Amino acid sequence: MWTRNTPGRTRWIVLGAAALWMLLGAGVGELPMARAAHLTGTFEVDEFFRFLHKFGFQKTEKHSQKDTEWDTFGYIYGNITSSVNFTVPVTLAVLDKRSFLEYYANRNDYDRDVACQRMFEKLDKIVYSRACNPHAEADYLRRIPCEPGKLCVDEDTQENVVPGSQFTFVISDPNVPRFWYVSMVACYQNVSTCQWHHYDYRKYHPEPPAINYDITLVNGNPNRQTLSFFNPLLFHFSFDQQNTLEMYLIFFVVYLLMVPLQIYAVRLQKHPVTRLFTVSLVLEFVSVCLLLTHTVRYAMNGVGDEKLAIMGDIFDIFSRTSFMLILLLLAKGWAVTRLQISVSSWILLMVIWIPYCAIHVLLYIWNRTEVDIISDIDEYQTWPGWLVLACRSTMMLWFLWELRTTMKYEHSSQKLDFLLHFGASSLVWFIYLPIVAIIAVNVSPLWRYKLLLGITNSADCLAYCVMMGLLWPNRAGQYLLLTGTNFAGMDELDEFNEAPHIVHRDSDTLHSSNGDLAIDDYLDNEDDEIETLVLSTDDLLHTGSSYAVGSGSGSGGGSKPLSLHNGSALNGGIGKGGRSFD
């Protein structure tokens, strides 16, 4: 029977979940790579427009001086060349958000000439141009490609260019950190008329010419990496992602201590609950290791290993969903008041939990492929994000319902106290994410990513620590049925625990002496008084083999009446007279 094969059932559940994870992970393997701080690639002019990167530059300190130890400017530098001679150059644009949004919105006009004119209509009034606007101060544009081995035509001073580069933008904002947007567009400005036009390669080339670019974006002066203000942990990172390396290092150290301790605990206490929790904890540790490796490489070269980052995010999703499964199982009373769960309960649990895992992964895929990087929304401000939050809230309500049902039929005060504290702490874990997601809507995008990352990882780490303490071998025996899995008659005991189990006795003659029950002859007492003796599954299990549980050959109906027979009472005796009672 299924209800008597808990380890085998758990094994199949784990294998099924693993298969689902592998299938979902295979689809995620084709996701596009995220933006790096070191950009390399090729831009073909028939593409017309290419967005390259969105990068957050830190606030410039008021005492900053270029090329000194006090330099806190942002820098964009690199090389842009082509093997084909362009009749007229196209444009590289580095714009702040205010200037970029309208420029970006006008790129889709069917008439490319009109698109170019609309894109640069307002920029012409503020952007420096030697021929058309020599009095402007905003240095946002470069004409590309540059001649190999030489500076770009808009760079007139060698000292202002990072050595080994053809162009350099210096970003300064003394007020607040800010996002800047880098893009290329096949538009050129006629220096005679100051009008913008589309570079139609068909007029000049048989094939669309390609432009090769190698661009780096950094916070801090690349020429002063050995001075006191240079911080390698911040150099390549966009402002919204700074300090994430230190965050992952902290969690790596914490999990590095927790995982060996939990492996030691599961070797002492072999039970499906502890095994599932160990799997969840190991998945989280693997996730942190992968993300830390990617982040360290990113700090070194501005690129990192995006495949490791994707794998780390997927393992993190699997860890959280498996941890949720553990909470639901404990709420249903598994290993607390019973050692088995009915077939229908398992099917219902899997029917709800597996789609929840799939939705979570689909949200991740959506966030990487469909959410425009230009926008300032996060994953929980899209309809898939709302769906995940709604599903999590539904799971929380189901968790509370199952916990209430379990507590309703449990009569051990020790276990009720455990269930109460377990429910309160689990409820905090369930509810924190919707609350944080709502708060994050009102947080600046420059701080939002770090806020969500820090709170979610901290909450998960704390939840793992609490669960690890609850399941620790020398504590779990106080309120969990974790000492074994082969209990004869557990089906009957489960039904017995959930049904009114009443045994009548004489209140005047039933008393405890030296830990033994003594039952006097109630027939000799004229004022017989009947009371109720309530026994829980916990009471039954802790008496070893003191009880004889009647069972019939049928597997359907309820359990047989419980009888305490002559000579097999609690702690060795039923009392004088050897009477039995039903």
Side-chain angles (χ1 to χ4, degrees), residues 427-443:
L427 183 61
V428 173
W429 184 82
F430 272 103
I431 199 64
Y432 85 88
L433 187 58
I435 294 177
V436 171
I438 294 173
I439 295 175
V441 174
N442 300 313
V443 176

Side-chain angles (χ1 to χ4, degrees), residues 444-469:
S444 167
L446 289 161
W447 301 94
R448 186 184 300 151
Y449 175 79
K450 289 182 283 191
L451 173 71
L452 289 172
L453 184 66
I455 292 181
T456 54
N457 280 277
S458 298
D460 291 340
C461 183
L462 180 60
Y464 289 127
C465 290
V466 172
M467 184 62 69
M468 184 175 174

Side-chain angles (χ1 to χ4, degrees), residues 68 174 241 247 393:
T68 70
Q241 296 183 345
M247 194 181 303
S393 300

Side-chain angles (χ1 to χ4, degrees), residues 26-328:
V28 175
E30 301 300 324
L31 289 178
M33 299 297 102
R35 308 294 180 176
H38 185 193
L39 313 173
T40 57
T42 301
F43 169 64
E44 295 186 353
V45 295
D46 62 334
E47 190 178 341
F48 182 65
F49 177 86
R50 175 177 292 187
F51 176 76
L52 297 180
H53 198 39
K54 171 185 175 183
F55 194 84
F57 287 98
Q58 63 196 9
K59 175 183 175 181
T60 306
E61 299 296 336
K62 294 182 179 179
H63 56 258
S64 290
Q65 299 178 17
K66 191 176 177 182
D67 292 331
T68 70
E69 63 179 348
W70 308 104
D71 191 345
T72 57
F73 294 107
Y75 287 81
I76 302 175
Y77 60 95
N79 299 281
I80 301 180
T81 58
S82 177
S83 58
V84 179
N85 292 324
F86 278 64
T87 306
V88 289
V90 294
T91 305
L92 169 70
V94 176
L95 306 173
D96 62 2
K97 182 177 180 179
R98 181 182 302 177
S99 303
F100 178 78
L101 291 181
E102 185 171 352
Y103 159 88
Y104 180 72
N106 290 317
R107 75 193 189 283
N108 290 325
D109 197 294
Y110 181 77
D111 188 328
R112 297 303 191 189
D113 265 352
V114 174
C116 289
Q117 293 169 14
R118 289 181 176 177
M119 291 173 73
F120 290 93
E121 181 179 2
K122 289 190 176 180
L123 290 176
D124 276 342
K125 302 175 182 178
I126 60 173
V127 173
Y128 171 82
S129 171
R130 185 180 305 171
C132 299
N133 197 3
H135 302 293
E137 296 183 356
D139 187 19
Y140 291 169
L141 307 178
R142 293 290 185 274
R143 287 174 284 180
I144 57 173
C146 309
E147 188 177 346
K150 296 183 179 180
L151 299 180
C152 295
V153 294
D154 295 307
E155 298 288 355
D156 51 6
T157 306
Q158 178 71 48
E159 290 74 17
N160 292 334
V161 180
V162 174
S165 301
Q166 295 178 301
F167 71 92
T168 298
F169 290 92
V170 180
I171 309 298
S172 174
D173 194 331
N175 298 318
V176 292
R178 186 175 298 181
F179 283 115
W180 287 75
Y181 303 81
V182 184
S183 63
M184 293 180 179
V185 61
C187 296
Y188 69 93
Q189 187 178 38
N190 187 317
V191 295
S192 301
T193 63
C194 294
Q195 294 294 315
W196 287 89
H197 303 281
H198 171 228
Y199 185 84
D200 189 352
Y201 75 91
R202 293 170 295 185
K203 298 178 180 179
Y204 315 107
H205 313 281
E207 298 290 337
I211 298 176
N212 302 313
Y213 59 88
D214 185 341
I215 304 173
T216 303
L217 304 91
V218 296
N219 275 298
N221 193 328
N223 297 326
R224 295 292 183 268
Q225 297 185 10
T226 59
L227 295 181
S228 58
F229 266 67
F230 171 73
N231 188 344
L233 301 181
L234 306 178
F235 186 63
H236 285 293
F237 290 94
S238 174
F239 181 83
D240 60 311
Q241 296 183 345
Q242 289 181 350
N243 304 117
T244 55
L245 176 56
E246 296 94 321
M247 194 181 303
Y248 285 129
L249 281 171
I250 293 173
F251 289 119
F252 172 77
V253 172
V254 174
Y255 287 121
L256 189 63
L257 297 175
M258 291 177 62
V259 170
L261 290 175
Q262 180 58 30
I263 292 176
Y264 167 76
V266 78
R267 289 173 63 88
L268 296 179
Q269 186 170 263
K270 296 181 179 179
H271 188 277
V273 170
T274 53
R275 289 174 179 171
L276 281 175
F277 174 67
T278 303
V279 170
S280 179
L281 183 61
V282 170
L283 287 173
E284 185 65 20
F285 178 62
V286 172
S287 168
V288 171
C289 290
L290 294 173
L291 291 170
L292 178 61
T293 302
H294 160 70
T295 310
V296 170
R297 291 185 179 180
Y298 189 95
M300 296 173 61
N301 58 22
V303 178
D305 191 330
E306 196 63 25
K307 291 183 179 180
L308 291 181
I310 293 175
M311 292 173 59
D313 290 336
I314 295 300
F315 273 103
D316 181 54
I317 293 173
F318 295 159
S319 175
R320 294 179 186 180
T321 52
S322 60
F323 185 76
M324 181 179 291
L325 176 63
I326 296 171
L327 297 183
L328 292 172

Side-chain angles (χ1 to χ4, degrees), residues 1-9 339-341 343 485-492 551-552 554-555:
M1 291 176 60
W2 229 36
T3 56
R4 293 184 181 274
N5 191 17
T6 301
R9 187 188 333 169
L339 291 175
Q340 287 86 18
I341 297 179
V343 177
T485 57
N486 297 322
F487 287 84
M490 280 307 303
D491 294 336
E492 290 78 2
S551 60
S555 58

